[in-house]
Amino acid sequence: MTDAFAQASLADRAGKAAARFRLTFHHPAWAYGFILPVALAIAWELAVRAGLVQARLMPPPSRVAETLYGLLRSGDLLTHSAATLTRVGSGFVIGAVAGTLAGAFCGASPAARRLLDPMIQALRAIPSIAWVPLFILWLGIFENSKIMLIAVGVFFPVYLGVLGAIASVDRKLVEVGRAFRLSRAGLVFRILLPAALPEWITALRSGLGLGFMFVVAAEFMGASEGLGYLLVDGQQLGKPDQILAAILAFAVLGKTCDAALVLVTTPLLAWQDRVRDRL
Amino acid sequence: MLVVDALSKLYADGTQALARVSLTIEAGSFVMITGKSGCGKTTLLRLIAGLDQASFGTIAIDGEPISGTHPAVGVVFQEPRLLPWLSIAGNVGFGLTHLPKGERRARVAEALRRVGLAEQAKRWPRELSGGQQQRAAIARALVAEPKILLLDEPFSALDALTRADLQDQLLALWQESKTTLIMITHDVEEALLLADRVVVLRSQPGHVVADLDIALARPRLRSETGFETNRRALLAALDRPSVHLEF
């Protein structure tokens, strides 16, 4: 009987340990996202140490981390990140506001759509980078031309998103607005835009992604600071670790900005009747 | 008083939905419009609501001809059509933005109390049942105090118990407010339980085939003889065999 008792207690303890294990390793869902990158980094590090890869061209994660830490300590990382972030931020705000207004205007007014949309679609077909020489001529080599390029990059996805969202607003809800005798502006601001809100936020997110894409292009075309400058500098001076450090910084910065955008806009979508998974 | 005179509606593809429909509806009455699918009853309601334009004919409220939507006319659709991004209180107050905030809030609270949704004021539409949503839609229409409230089969998507509940509530609201109610239904029982008058339309093209006064005392019971007599008359007008149902 004591035996059975001891066994039961042992099983109990094992069960508790298993539960503790589950609690520690099962709990934070975001932790899963780290498994692959960390595993890859370790494999890479081992490959370099074992001499399978040339460290000169493929610096191991430890070297990249060292460089990153050095940049952080000297304050360079902050300076370059701030420069990049300011450009993306300014360009994003300009592009998003313009894209939203143009999209809402063309979405709400058939006449405006007939007049403006073909031209905007034609402009969209031009690769944004093609504007660079013109922007430099018009706005100079410094900040304005860079911000303009980013704004153009952000404008199109936001414009398309808002226009598409407004076009797909439920006719029945629009009719409610008509039954309540809303003016054209009232219809836009009280029915069409709120109904388009979820898709608008998605459009903003893809716009932000493009903003980061174009900031690199903008910084390639002559900048003395910014993460894109770090990339060019690393290439010219043969410092792959610096290139990788800048790429890593881009990843962190881009993900953080996107997460911040999601965080800020989530309360706006509390009304939605759908499963919102973790973004 | 609502006067509909020789109203016709032709669609662009040539189908004629309504042909010279004339109706005079007294203020404060409760009129049901019924008929088979495609008889033009929804078209008629949409024309009165001003959501569609008549091809010929006129509509006048108290002698004033109207075209388009009118503040004296409220609409409740077949679906609740609440705006999902507004709370229930926000939806009910949707048509009151011209009022000062305090008055708006008071009127919304009163309207919600009258339809029994005072507790749900802060909820999102998605959190309410179908019956509650339709009650909120009725409150949204009534809070603007229209002279005429149009209802397009408002209870057709609800289960039988909820429907009976909402029918009672609508009757109480009508008796309290004395708003003119014009409601579409395809449910003979519903028409006879609620209305003063039942107008029957028939299709191709939509025209009035019968106009019955239902002079029964309220509350009405299906078992009354008067109810059965009216039911037979209505079914005959609808051109259906008058099946006798036991209750």
Side-chain angles (χ1 to χ4, degrees):
Chain A
M1 182 163 166
T2 7
D3 241 22
F5 210 86
Q7 250 175 8
S9 137
L10 203 66
D12 188 42
R13 241 184 313 170
K16 269 184 187 158
R20 210 162 32 240
F21 180 84
R22 272 200 301 275
L23 209 68
T24 330
F25 290 92
H26 202 80
H27 196 230
W30 51 265
Y32 281 95
F34 285 101
I35 294 175
L36 274 181
V38 168
L40 275 174
I42 291 172
W44 182 358
E45 183 81 41
L46 291 177
V48 173
R49 299 251 162 131
L52 297 172
V53 204
Q54 275 197 6
R56 196 175 58 81
L57 288 177
M58 288 282 279
S62 58
R63 267 258 304 286
V64 176
E66 215 174 289
T67 310
L68 207 55
Y69 183 66
L71 285 168
L72 191 68
R73 276 201 50 184
S74 66
D76 284 353
L77 189 64
L78 195 70
T79 320
H80 292 303
S81 300
T84 296
L85 211 55
T86 311
R87 287 174 190 136
V88 174
S90 322
F92 175 72
V93 168
I94 296 169
V97 168
T100 304
L101 288 179
F105 191 51
C106 288
S109 155
R113 183 162 60 247
R114 276 194 291 272
L115 194 67
L116 292 173
D117 190 58
M119 189 182 75
I120 294 177
Q121 297 295 350
L123 288 174
R124 193 170 72 93
I126 302 169
S128 302
I129 310 287
W131 293 106
V132 168
L134 203 56
F135 287 164
I136 291 177
L137 277 182
W138 284 347
L139 303 164
I141 190 78
F142 300 111
E143 290 308 295
N144 290 345
S145 57
K146 294 183 174 57
I147 290 171
M148 188 65 183
L149 176 64
I150 295 163
V152 167
V154 173
F155 174 85
F156 289 108
V158 174
Y159 168 79
L160 280 182
V162 172
L163 186 64
I166 287 182
S168 64
V169 171
D170 191 352
R171 183 190 57 79
K172 289 175 173 172
L173 293 184
V174 175
E175 218 165 67
V176 170
R178 285 182 56 211
F180 279 98
R181 305 164 55 76
L182 294 184
S183 62
R184 179 71 69 117
L187 201 64
V188 171
F189 285 105
R190 299 185 63 199
I191 305 267
L192 296 180
L193 285 182
L197 194 63
E199 286 168 72
W200 178 65
I201 288 167
T202 308
L204 285 185
R205 289 180 69 190
S206 48
L208 187 63
L210 277 179
F212 271 101
M213 197 168 120
F214 281 103
V215 79
V216 178
E219 288 174 347
F220 275 3
M221 69 196 202
S224 55
E225 54 180 25
L227 293 175
Y229 161 78
L230 276 189
L231 293 173
V232 179
D233 187 60
Q235 182 216 328
Q236 283 169 349
L237 300 180
K239 294 190 285 189
D241 49 337
Q242 184 181 314
I243 295 176
L244 286 166
I247 286 174
L248 221 54
F250 262 123
V252 172
L253 216 57
K255 179 68 191 152
T256 309
C257 287
D258 185 58
L261 190 61
V262 169
L263 195 72
V264 169
T265 51
T266 298
L268 298 176
L269 299 178
W271 50 271
Q272 275 198 310
D273 189 9
R274 68 171 198 201
V275 185
R276 279 192 74 77
D277 51 349
R278 227 178 273 263
L279 291 161
Chain B
M1 195 169 72
L2 174 78
V3 179
V4 170
D5 188 31
L7 210 58
S8 299
K9 177 71 182 173
L10 275 155
Y11 286 108
D13 63 359
T15 41
Q16 186 164 21
L18 284 181
R20 299 185 63 81
V21 170
S22 294
L23 281 174
T24 299
I25 293 172
E26 297 299 326
S29 58
F30 191 158
V31 179
M32 285 282 182
I33 298 172
T34 190
K36 292 178 183 173
S37 303
C39 70
K41 49 193 195 297
T42 295
T43 303
L44 176 59
L45 201 81
R46 290 180 60 86
L47 293 180
I48 299 172
L51 294 171
D52 288 331
Q53 290 297 314
S55 308
F56 305 101
T58 57
I59 302 165
I61 298 172
D62 297 335
E64 179 204 344
I66 59 164
S67 68
T69 52
H70 193 274
V73 182
V75 191
V76 173
F77 297 97
Q78 195 165 358
E79 324 80 18
R81 299 199 190 181
L82 300 176
L83 304 175
W85 55 88
L86 293 178
S87 67
I88 293 303
N91 267 288
V92 172
F94 186 76
L96 298 180
T97 39
H98 56 285
L99 296 177
K101 210 171 178 181
E103 190 186 344
R104 187 164 85 226
R105 198 174 299 161
R107 276 177 62 178
V108 168
E110 169 63 14
L112 283 172
R113 190 194 58 72
R114 275 165 54 183
V115 296
L117 289 176
E119 304 290 314
Q120 326 292 338
K122 290 201 173 97
R123 289 178 174 256
W124 298 117
R126 67 177 160 90
E127 298 176 298
L128 268 58
S129 69
Q132 286 175 320
Q133 288 188 24
Q134 197 55 288
R135 262 147 61 189
I138 292 171
R140 176 175 67 183
L142 276 180
V143 77
E145 294 177 354
K147 284 184 189 165
I148 298 167
L149 183 60
L150 308 171
L151 304 105
D152 185 4
E153 300 194 35
F155 308 142
S156 59
L158 304 175
D159 63 88
L161 283 176
T162 313
R163 190 185 310 145
D165 207 35
L166 260 74
Q167 286 169 348
D168 289 345
Q169 221 163 14
L170 183 66
L171 211 52
L173 286 169
W174 169 66
Q175 281 162 343
E176 208 176 308
S177 65
K178 279 294 164 195
T179 306
T180 310
L181 297 188
I182 303 173
M183 178 165 154
I184 290 181
T185 187
H186 56 243
D187 180 345
V188 171
E189 309 275 330
E190 183 170 72
L192 295 174
L193 278 172
L194 300 178
D196 292 330
R197 178 178 164 196
V198 181
V199 175
V200 182
L201 297 186
R202 200 173 289 171
S203 64
Q204 284 172 343
H207 60 288
V208 178
V209 285
D211 194 338
L212 309 171
D213 282 317
I214 312 297
L216 298 173
R218 291 187 174 88
R220 292 176 182 164
L221 296 170
R222 290 179 176 86
S223 51
E224 287 172 87
T225 41
F227 191 90
E228 183 54 32
T229 319
N230 277 302
R231 204 173 72 89
R232 281 166 196 275
L234 187 49
L235 286 175
L238 280 165
D239 194 22
R240 269 198 277 178
S242 62
V243 190
H244 184 78
L245 295 171
E246 300 285 342
F247 285 98

